[in-house]
C-alpha cells in the first residue's frame, strides 16, 4: 500500500478517536495529546516505505523523532496527559461560545482541522519519498539549523518551566510573585520564543523536501503556512487572556518582539524573578 494512503488511514483513526474521546470525557485536548506523536508516525511511514534506505528520509525521521520526544516530555511534565489536563484556553473559549457553536468548533477545528494539519506538515517526507536523491551540503546545513531550533525551544520551555515552578512556590508561601509572567532569558527577546522555534522547525522540514525535489516550488508549503497561521491565531488569543489577567502585560508587549526574537525596545524594566530568589 502506498505510504500516503497508510497516512490517510492513520489520519481517519486519529480524527475518530480524538472526537469520540472529547465527547466521552468532556475534555478537548486530545489532539494536543497526540500532537507530538502522530507526525513522528507519519514521517516514519514514508521512511519505512523507502526501506529505511534513503539517507535524507532517515535523517528527517530521526530529527522529527527528537522533536516529538522533547515535546512529549514537556507536555507530560506539565500534566497534559493527566485527567483534567485540558488546555486552559479551551475553557475560556467555551465560556465565550454557545454549547452548540463550541460542539461544531470542536469537530471541525479542534479535531478535523488540526489533525489534517498534523499530516500536512509532514508531507515534505512524501516529496522526499518521490525524489530519492543523494544528500547534499544543504541537507547538512538544514539538519544543523533544525537541531539549533530544537535546542532553542528546549531552553525556552525549560526557562518557562522553572519560572512557573518558582511562581507556584511563591504563591504557596503566601507571597505575590513579581513579575507575574516570564520576561527574562529568551523571553526578553521574544514573547513566544518557543512558538518561533516550533514553527521554524517545520519550515526546515519543508526545505528538506525542496532540496530533494530541487525546487522551492512545492505544494507542501501549505503545511508550514497553515501551521504559522494557527500559531498567529493562538498567540493573539493567548495574549488577550494574559492582558486580561495582567495589566502590565501591555508594557511587555510594547517593548518585546511578538514571536521572532529581536532586541528589546524601551520600556519600564520589570523586577526580574531571578533577583527575588
Amino acid at each position: 500500500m502506498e505510504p500516503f494512503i497508510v497516512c490517510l488511514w492513520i489520519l481517519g483513526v486519529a480524527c475518530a478517536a480524538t472526537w469520540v474521546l472529547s465527547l466521552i470525557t468532556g475534555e478537548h485536548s486530545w489532539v494536543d495529546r497526540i500532537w507530538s506523536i502522530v507526525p513522528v508516525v507519519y514521517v516514519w511511514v514514508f521512511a519505512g516505505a523507502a526501506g529505511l534506505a534513503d539517507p535524507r528520509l532517515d535523517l528527517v525521521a530521526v530529527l522529527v523523532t527528537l522533536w516529538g520526544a522533547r515535546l512529549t516530555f514537556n507536555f507530560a511534565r506539565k500534566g497534559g496527559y493527566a485527567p483534567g489536563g485540558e488546555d486552559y484556553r479551551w475553557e475560556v473559549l467555551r465560556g465565550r461560545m454557545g454549547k452548540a457553536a463550541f460542539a461544531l468548533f470542536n469537530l471541525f477545528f479542534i479535531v478535523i482541522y488540526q489533525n489534517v494539519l498534523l499530516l500536512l506538515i509532514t508531507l515534505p517526507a512524501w516529496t522526499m519519498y518521490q525524489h530519492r536523491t543523494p544528500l547534499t551540503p544543504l541537507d547538512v546545513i538544514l539538519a544543523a539549523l533544525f537541531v539549533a531550533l530544537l535546542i532553542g525551544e528546549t531552553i525556552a520551555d525549560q526557562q518557562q518551566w522553572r519560572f512557573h515552578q518558582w511562581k507556584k512556590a511563591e504563591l504557596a508561601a503566601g507571597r505575590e510573585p513579581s513579575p507575574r509572567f516570564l520576561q527574562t532569558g529568551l523571553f526578553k527577546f521574544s514573547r513566544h520564543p518557543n512558538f518561533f522555534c516550533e514553527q521554524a522547525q517545520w519550515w526546515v522540514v519543508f526545505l528538506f523536501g525542496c532540496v530533494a525535489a530541487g525546487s522551492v516550488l512545492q505544494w507542501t508549503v501549505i503545511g508550514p503556512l497553515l501551521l504559522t497561521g494557527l500559531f498567529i491565531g493562538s498567540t493573539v488569543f493567548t495574549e488577550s487572556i494574559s492582558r486580561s489577567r495582567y495589566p502590565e502585560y501591555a508594557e511587555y508587549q510594547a517593548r518585546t518582539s511578538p514571536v521572532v526574537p529581536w532586541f528589546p525596545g524601551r520600556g519600564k524594566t520589570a523586577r526580574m524573578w531571578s533577583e527575588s530568589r
Side-chain angles (χ1 to χ4, degrees):
M1 186 181 295
E2 282 294 314
F4 180 66
I5 302 301
V6 174
C7 289
L8 287 180
W9 277 104
I10 295 171
L11 170 63
V13 171
C15 286
T18 51
W19 183 56
V20 171
L21 285 169
S22 72
L23 297 178
I24 293 173
T25 64
E27 294 185 8
H28 299 86
S29 281
W30 292 100
V31 178
D32 297 334
R33 288 166 176 148
I34 65 169
W35 189 279
S36 59
I37 299 169
V38 173
V40 177
V41 174
Y42 289 144
V43 175
W44 278 109
V45 166
F46 287 106
L52 300 180
D54 183 74
R56 183 179 291 106
L57 261 175
D58 294 346
L59 172 61
V60 171
V62 169
L63 292 174
V64 171
T65 301
L66 292 175
W67 163 86
R70 188 215 65 79
L71 190 56
T72 300
F73 166 75
N74 192 59
F75 190 70
R77 70 173 173 175
K78 293 190 295 184
Y81 294 107
E86 183 184 54
D87 189 321
Y88 72 95
R89 291 172 295 185
W90 296 141
E91 182 179 357
V92 173
L93 196 58
R94 278 197 300 270
R96 299 180 182 181
M97 301 175 69
K99 186 175 180 180
F102 189 81
L104 291 173
F105 179 82
N106 174 47
L107 175 60
F108 290 104
F109 179 79
I110 298 179
V111 172
I112 296 177
Y113 179 80
Q114 291 194 104
N115 269 302
V116 170
L117 177 58
L118 290 178
L119 174 60
L120 288 174
I121 60 176
T122 65
L123 287 185
W126 192 17
T127 305
M128 295 176 231
Y129 175 77
Q130 294 172 318
H131 301 86
R132 288 178 241 178
T133 54
L135 284 174
T136 71
L138 276 177
D139 292 295
V140 177
I141 293 171
L142 289 174
L145 180 56
F146 188 99
V147 171
L149 291 165
L150 185 68
I151 292 172
E153 190 171 14
T154 302
I155 292 171
D157 281 341
Q158 182 63 21
Q159 289 175 345
Q160 201 166 48
W161 171 258
R162 288 180 62 240
F163 174 80
H164 284 291
Q165 293 303 107
W166 166 82
K167 186 175 178 179
K168 287 179 183 177
E170 289 292 286
L171 291 170
R175 294 188 293 266
E176 178 66 23
S178 180
R180 296 192 290 176
F181 52 88
L182 183 56
Q183 305 169 51
T184 57
L186 294 180
F187 291 81
K188 180 179 180 180
F189 304 97
S190 167
R191 302 199 296 270
H192 304 280
N194 41 359
F195 286 7
F196 169 76
C197 292
E198 175 74 10
Q199 296 169 71
Q201 285 170 93
W202 288 104
W203 278 102
V204 170
V205 171
F206 164 71
L207 291 175
F208 270 112
C210 294
V211 172
S215 171
V216 295
L217 301 178
Q218 303 298 317
W219 69 268
T220 53
V221 72
I222 191 173
L225 277 176
L226 289 177
L227 181 68
T228 299
L230 179 68
F231 269 95
I232 290 172
S234 175
T235 300
V236 171
F237 183 43
T238 300
E239 293 202 335
S240 71
I241 298 174
S242 297
R243 284 196 308 273
S244 68
R245 292 177 176 177
Y246 315 118
E248 65 272 27
Y249 194 82
E251 195 277 331
Y252 175 59
Q253 288 178 302
R255 71 172 185 268
T256 310
S257 173
V259 177
V260 180
W262 194 248
F263 299 103
R266 292 182 179 182
K268 182 180 178 182
T269 303
R271 181 160 60 91
M272 302 308 178
W273 72 277
S274 57
E275 295 176 357
S276 61
R277 296 187 67 186

